[in-house]
Amino acid sequence: MDPGGASQRSSRSGGSWKGHIIQQLRHRDRIQNTTFQDLIRFYTLLLEKTSLTKRLLSHSARPPEGPNSSSLQIQSSSLKEKMGELAYKVVELQQQVKIKDDVLEEQRSRLQEEEDRLKGASDAKLALQQQVQQIEEKNKKLKTAYDALLERQREAESKIREEKEKEEGMLEDMMHLKKQAAARMNHRNERRSRARQATVQKELRTVARSKVTVDSSSSAPTSRSTSPKNKDKDESTGRSQTRLFRSASATSPRSFFSSSKFSIREMFEKKRGHSIHSLEEDLLYPVGICLSARVPTRPLQVLEAHEQGINTVRFSFSSDLLATGGTDRVIKLWDVRAGWLSHRGTLDGSTEGITCVEFDPTGRRILAASHNKSALLWCLDDSVPKVTLTGHSRKVTAARFTCSPHQVVTGSTDRTIRLWDLKRAACLQQREVASFCSDLVCSENSIISGHFDSKIRVWDSRTVSCVQELPSQGRVTSLDLSSDRRQLLSCCRDDCLQLVDLRWSNDRMCFRADGFKCGSDSTKAVISPDGCYLAAGSADGAVYIWNVSKGNLETRLQGQHSSSITAVSWSLSGEYVVSVDRSRRAVLWRDI
C-alpha cells in the first residue's frame, strides 16, 4: 500500500472532525456572544481599563521625573475615579442580571403553572366531550323513544276518533231506533184510542136508538103499609118490576155504562202520557209555604264542598236537604240541621262536570244536567244513576221536571229543547231554537227558556211549540220562577236582573247595583220564597240581595268568597241562603 495515500486520508479525516469542532465552537460562541454581548463589551472595557490602571500604577510607583509628573498624578487620580465608576456599574449590571434571572425563573414557574392548568383544562375538555357524546347518545335514544311514543299517541288518537265516530254513529242509530219505537208505540196507542173511541161512539149510538119500556106506576111514589100482607105484595110487585126492567134493559144506557165502564177508564188512563199511570202519580206533592223570608246577614258555615269548582246548588222542597254539583263530576248531598251542613252522600256516574241540579217535588229523586251531552236521574238512596237521557250533541245546560212526574225537559247548547219520558228514557218532542239555551223553568202548562240571543221563549208544554218571545236586557244566564208562578226572574250578562210579571200585563222591572257584575254565562240568581227579594252572586265574591217592593239594594254579603260566585239558592222555608263559587267553597247564610 502507498504510505503517502494513507497519510493524506488520515490528514483529511483529522481535518474534518477538527473543522466540525471548530464550527460547533463558533456557533456556540455566536449564541453566547449574542446573549452576553453587553456584558462581554463591558467586561472587555473593564479589562482594558484594568490593564491601563495597572500600567499607570506601575508608572506611578516610580518617582516622577521631569516636569510632567504632576500631570501624570492628575491622570492617575482621574483613572481611579473612572475605575470606581466602572466597578459600580459592574455591580449594578450584576444586580440587574440577578433580577432578570429571578424574573426569568418566575416566568418559567408561571409558564409551568399555565402549562399544568392547560393540561387540566385539556383533560376537563376531554371529559366534557365524552359527557357530551354520552348525552348525545342518550338524546338520540330518548328521541327515538319519543318518536315511538308520538307515533303510538297518534295511533291511539286515531283509534279514539274512530271509536268516538262509532259511538256517535251508535248513539244516532240508537236514538233513531228509540224515535222509531216511540213513534210506533204512539201510533199503536193512538190507534187503540181511536178504536176504543169508535167502539164507545158505536155503543152510544146503539143505546140512543134503543127503546126502554118502563111501567109508569113504578115511577110514582106510593105509601105502603108495614103489614106482612102489604110487604108480600110489595115484594112481588118489586120482582115483577125488576124482571120487566131487566127484560127491556139489554140495550139500555144502564147496561151500556155498566159494561163499558172499564173500557172508558182504561182509555183515559192510556191517554195520559201514552202509558198507564203508576201509584206515584196519585201521591200528593208537598207544597212549601213561606209567609215571610228572612234576609241573611251573617255566615253560619263555610266549607270546601268539592274538589273543584261548584257550578250549581239547590234546596229540596222540604228545605232539609241541599244538593251541590261541580266540575269534579259528582253531586254531593248535605243535610241541613240547626244551621249546619253535614255531608250525607255522593252521587256519581257522570263522566263530566255537572251544570244543573233539581229535586222532584217528592224529594226522593234528583235530576242533573251534565257536560257529557246528557241528563241523569238518581234516586236518593242509590249513588248510581237510574236513568240516563242521551241525544244532545253538545253539553246540556238545564234539566227540569215538568208538572208530570215522569216527564222532564232539557236544554242544550246544541240549540234544541227536548221533552223526555223517564219511564222509557225516550225523547217525546224536540224543538230547534235559534240560539243556545242557558236555563229552563216549568209551570203548569208552559216551559220557559232563556237564550244567548237575549230572548226568553215561552213554550206550550203539551206540544213543545213556542207561543211567545220576551225580550231581555242581555244574554240570559239563568231563570227562576216565584212560588206563585206569577213572576219570572232572569239574570243577564249586562249585569242586570229582570223581573217579569207573567200575567196579562207582562210588566218588567230591572235591578242593578254598583259593584255587581255577572261572572259567567251560567251565573244563577233566585227569587225568595215569598217573592219579596232577589239574590244573585257577583264576580267580586259578594252576594247581592234586592228588595222587590222598594226596587233598591237591600244588603250586600261579602268577605267569604275569594272568587266569582256561580249560583245562589234560597230555602223554601225562607230561613237559609247558600252561595257557591268556582274555588270549591260553599257558604251557608242566615239572619242574626
Side-chain angles (χ1 to χ4, degrees), residues 138-153:
K138 290 182 179 179
N139 287 338
K140 289 179 181 178
K141 293 180 180 178
L142 291 174
K143 181 68 168 53
T144 305
Y146 173 76
D147 293 337
L149 288 175
L150 187 62
E151 186 65 25
R152 289 175 60 186
Q153 180 188 4

Side-chain angles (χ1 to χ4, degrees), residues 539-550:
D540 61 359
V543 179
Y544 289 75
I545 299 178
W546 287 267
N547 191 311
V548 175
S549 59
K550 296 179 181 179

Side-chain angles (χ1 to χ4, degrees), residues 2 22-23 72 134 163 166 183 189 238 293 363 369 379 396 402 405 449 519:
D2 188 5
I22 292 170
Q23 187 176 4
L72 292 172
Q134 293 176 359
E163 293 297 329
K166 291 180 181 178
N189 291 334
C379 291
V396 181
T402 64
S449 59

Side-chain angles (χ1 to χ4, degrees), residues 503-533:
R503 291 170 290 184
W504 298 104
S505 57
N506 281 344
D507 293 336
R508 295 177 180 84
M509 294 178 63
C510 294
F511 297 85
R512 299 180 184 270
D514 294 336
F516 175 74
K517 183 175 179 59
C518 184
S520 68
D521 289 339
S522 59
T523 300
K524 293 176 173 56
V526 295
I527 307 176
S528 65
D530 60 354
C532 297
Y533 302 99

Side-chain angles (χ1 to χ4, degrees), residues 298-309:
R298 65 185 179 94
L300 293 180
Q301 185 182 3
V302 180
L303 69 154
E304 301 291 331
H306 285 253
E307 296 180 358
Q308 299 180 19

Side-chain angles (χ1 to χ4, degrees), residues 456-487:
I456 300 172
R457 292 174 170 85
V458 181
W459 307 79
D460 187 343
S461 60
R462 294 162 295 188
T463 60
V464 193
S465 58
C466 185
V467 296
Q468 189 179 7
E469 287 188 358
L470 303 176
S472 180
Q473 295 292 329
R475 181 184 296 177
V476 180
T477 65
S478 72
L479 297 176
D480 192 32
L481 274 176
S482 61
S483 300
D484 57 5
R485 301 294 190 266
R486 295 179 179 179
Q487 292 180 317

Side-chain angles (χ1 to χ4, degrees), residues 207 210-214 241-259:
V207 171
S210 64
K211 294 181 180 181
V212 179
T213 305
V214 181
Q241 290 175 359
T242 303
R243 279 196 301 270
L244 178 62
F245 183 77
R246 287 180 181 174
S247 63
S249 63
T251 57
S252 64
R254 182 176 176 180
S255 65
F256 163 73
F257 285 110
S258 63
S259 64

